[in-house]
């Protein structure tokens, strides 16, 4: 039984962060979407990314970059519920599926995570440095008819809007990608 659990863990969990892997987070989104079709309730999808992560690897090395990625995983588990699905989407990008959570609430949670991450001091090449996060979030209230793939695409577009807007911020997808887009910045740099 223990070997089976270890094998399942290795297949579904990212070894560096302990979060679920890319394929598993997509499955979790599909399952939540299907559940909500039968039992209507809000849920959010968020994509987040470590700002200027390539510079971290180039300046301090991949071992330090791994510590930065692992710190995001730890903070995600601390800031979100055990019922939330938290995944490493790839590289320095993460995806979240948040049941019973509208985009406005998800945005507040993500801003708390963003502030906590920015406060961490990492050590690399004999110097202290910090990193920031950008995030995009969408919910099924604004996009009730969208497929799981489209929801993740909307969250990803909102993430890239946050990146283009100066990083260290959370943007909420509204579907318009115009002046009505909502974004928050607290201490953006």
């Amino acid at each position: 039984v223990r070997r089976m659990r270890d094998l399942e863990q290795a297949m579904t969990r990212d070894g560096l962060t302990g979060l679920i892997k890319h394929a598993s987070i997509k499955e979790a989104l599909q399952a939540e979407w299907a559940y909500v079709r039968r039992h209507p309730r809000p849920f959010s999808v968020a994509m987040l990314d470590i700002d200027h992560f390539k510079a971290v690897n180039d300046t301090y090395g991949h071992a330090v970059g791994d510590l930065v990625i692992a710190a995001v995983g730890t903070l995600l588990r601390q800031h979100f519920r055990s019922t939330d699905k938290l995944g490493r989407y790839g590289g320095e990008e993460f995806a979240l599926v948040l049941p019973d959570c509208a985009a406005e609430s998800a945005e507040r949670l993500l801003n708390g995570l963003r502030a906590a991450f920015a406060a961490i001091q990492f050590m690399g090449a004999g110097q202290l440095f910090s990193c920031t996060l950008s995030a995009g979030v969408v919910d099924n209230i604004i996009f009730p008819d969208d497929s799981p793939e489209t929801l993740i695409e909307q969250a990803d577009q909102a993430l890239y809007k946050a990146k283009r807007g100066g990083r260290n911020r959370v943007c909420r997808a509204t579907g318009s990608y115009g002046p009505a887009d909502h974004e928050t910045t607290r201490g953006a740099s």
Side-chain angles (χ1 to χ4, degrees), residues 45 47 138 147-158 177:
V45 178
M47 296 293 291
V138 62
S147 69
E149 295 79 15
T150 304
L151 290 171
I152 211 151
E153 166 101 5
Q154 292 285 354
D156 204 41
Q157 287 180 16
Y177 287 101

Side-chain angles (χ1 to χ4, degrees), residues 160-178:
Y160 283 100
K161 183 177 188 296
K163 293 278 193 184
R164 287 189 307 273
R167 294 180 169 78
N168 192 25
R169 65 189 65 224
V170 175
C171 287
R172 192 178 339 152
T174 61
S176 65
Y177 287 101

Side-chain angles (χ1 to χ4, degrees), residues 48 71-72 74-80 96 98 103-120 131-135 137 168-170 184-187:
L48 58 114
V72 175
T74 299
L75 284 175
L76 282 168
R77 286 190 306 279
Q78 290 172 348
H79 283 256
F80 290 87
L96 317 177
L98 310 171
E104 186 176 320
S105 296
E107 185 177 11
R108 277 193 305 274
L109 290 166
L110 288 164
N111 272 311
L113 173 78
R114 191 178 54 73
F117 184 66
I120 296 174
C131 296
T132 58
L133 293 171
S134 295
V137 66
N168 192 25
R169 65 189 65 224
V170 175
T184 56
T185 309
R186 292 187 195 141

Side-chain angles (χ1 to χ4, degrees), residues 43-165:
F43 77 94
S44 291
V45 178
M47 296 293 291
L48 58 114
D49 188 79
I50 301 170
D51 296 328
H52 302 293
F53 186 72
K54 183 180 182 320
V56 171
N57 277 338
D58 291 349
T59 304
Y60 306 109
H62 291 275
V64 173
D66 284 352
L67 291 174
V68 173
I69 289 171
V72 175
T74 299
L75 284 175
L76 282 168
R77 286 190 306 279
Q78 290 172 348
H79 283 256
F80 290 87
R81 306 165 295 181
S82 62
T83 54
D84 295 331
K85 304 300 183 216
L86 314 170
R88 183 172 177 200
Y89 205 67
E92 72 280 5
E93 194 169 34
F94 301 84
L96 317 177
V97 178
L98 310 171
D100 289 317
C101 186
E104 186 176 320
S105 296
E107 185 177 11
R108 277 193 305 274
L109 290 166
L110 288 164
N111 272 311
L113 173 78
R114 191 178 54 73
F117 184 66
I120 296 174
Q121 292 288 299
F122 297 98
M123 175 65 83
Q127 54 188 314
L128 291 173
F129 70 96
S130 59
C131 296
T132 58
L133 293 171
S134 295
V137 66
V138 62
D139 67 22
N140 66 323
I141 297 167
I142 296 175
F143 299 95
D145 299 320
D146 283 11
S147 69
E149 295 79 15
T150 304
L151 290 171
I152 211 151
E153 166 101 5
Q154 292 285 354
D156 204 41
Q157 287 180 16
L159 165 64
Y160 283 100
K161 183 177 188 296
K163 293 278 193 184
R164 287 189 307 273

Side-chain angles (χ1 to χ4, degrees), residues 2-3 6-7 9 24 31 42 53 93 96 124 136 139 161 180:
R2 187 176 44 173
R3 275 191 230 160
D6 290 345
L7 180 60
Q9 180 90 355
S24 298
F53 186 72
E93 194 169 34
L96 317 177
D139 67 22
K161 183 177 188 296

